[in-house]
Amino acid sequence: DGHQADDFPAYIVILLLGHLLVPLMIEVNAALAIPIGWQAVLWPTLAAILGLAMIQPAKGAVLAFQWSRRMHGFA
């Protein structure tokens, strides 16, 4: 299979998760008094679930971009 996205989808997901979760964490901590133990479970779990949900669409977007530009085996 000549279609490769390499690590770019993972970089996209990490960038998006950081921009989504950090402001969310700040707002939740400002509004609610969640104990640190619960947060130690909540945020990594949420990050893992969102990361797994976002990785395939990100890879699809990268491959679609490559296809639209006739790159990497899409000649």
Side-chain angles (χ1 to χ4, degrees):
D1 189 65
H3 316 306
Q4 296 179 347
D6 295 328
D7 291 335
F8 191 49
Y11 295 140
I12 292 171
V13 169
I14 290 168
L15 181 72
L16 289 175
L17 277 179
H19 281 85
L20 291 172
L21 287 180
V22 171
L24 181 64
M25 289 172 63
I26 291 169
E27 290 299 319
V28 167
N29 282 324
L32 305 171
I34 300 175
I36 194 73
W38 283 99
Q39 290 190 50
V41 173
L42 172 68
W43 300 118
T45 303
L46 186 58
I49 290 168
L50 289 174
L52 288 172
M54 293 170 68
I55 193 70
Q56 284 186 330
K59 184 173 182 178
V62 169
L63 290 178
F65 179 78
Q66 290 177 349
W67 174 81
S68 72
R69 302 290 185 251
R70 304 285 188 248
M71 298 166 57
H72 300 296
F74 288 103

